[in-house]
Amino acid sequence: MAAIDYSPVQQALDRPKDLSADADARRLAFVRERALRDEVSERRAEREKGKAEGKSEGKIEGEGFALQRLLVKRFGVLPAELASRIECASQAEIEGWLDRALDARRLAEVFDLPGH
């Protein structure tokens, strides 16, 4: 390419040399490159955070489903209010109910309902 005598080609070839010799242009290129890398890193971190949140939500949902199946198997049809309570519960609540469901004689004992 350097052997081509056509003026626009020579100007295009000289442009990177001119830019690399200019300290301001180098600094701006460096800043731009760093900003692009930071953006990629932020997106990657957000994506990983989203995956972790999704896994956590999926785990809670799965444990809630398992609890409902266990309760139905042991005690029959669940009242809608208890099914709804399970769906809105935290992982710690679900795990506690699962533990109690294994030994409970009545459904009320699992949820510490009055009158058990």
Side-chain angles (χ1 to χ4, degrees):
M1 290 286 285
I4 297 175
D5 205 19
Y6 186 59
S7 176
V9 171
Q10 288 303 316
Q11 289 174 353
L13 290 172
D14 289 341
R15 183 71 178 140
K17 292 176 192 172
D18 293 342
L19 287 176
S20 65
D22 181 3
D24 286 337
R26 282 195 315 272
R27 184 184 57 75
L28 289 174
F30 174 78
V31 168
R32 181 174 185 278
E33 181 67 25
R34 185 173 53 193
L36 290 173
R37 287 179 192 227
D38 288 348
E39 183 178 347
V40 168
S41 294
E42 287 175 19
R43 285 184 183 168
R44 184 176 297 124
E46 288 173 6
R47 192 169 42 250
E48 292 302 318
K49 181 181 175 188
K51 284 181 185 178
E53 289 173 357
K55 285 180 182 180
S56 177
E57 289 174 9
K59 182 178 179 184
I60 293 169
E61 197 173 291
E63 287 181 352
F65 180 73
L67 174 61
Q68 287 188 38
R69 287 193 61 192
L70 174 66
L71 294 174
V72 167
K73 183 82 170 170
R74 290 209 55 218
F75 305 110
V77 177
L78 285 181
E81 66 206 31
L82 291 180
S84 184
R85 188 172 171 190
I86 292 169
E87 289 174 9
C88 298
S90 69
Q91 185 172 355
E93 288 174 313
I94 292 172
E95 289 173 357
W97 294 331
L98 273 168
D99 289 343
R100 282 186 264 172
L102 298 173
D103 299 322
R105 287 173 280 145
R106 291 184 306 282
L107 186 58
E109 293 175 11
V110 176
F111 295 95
D112 286 331
L113 298 175
H116 68 99

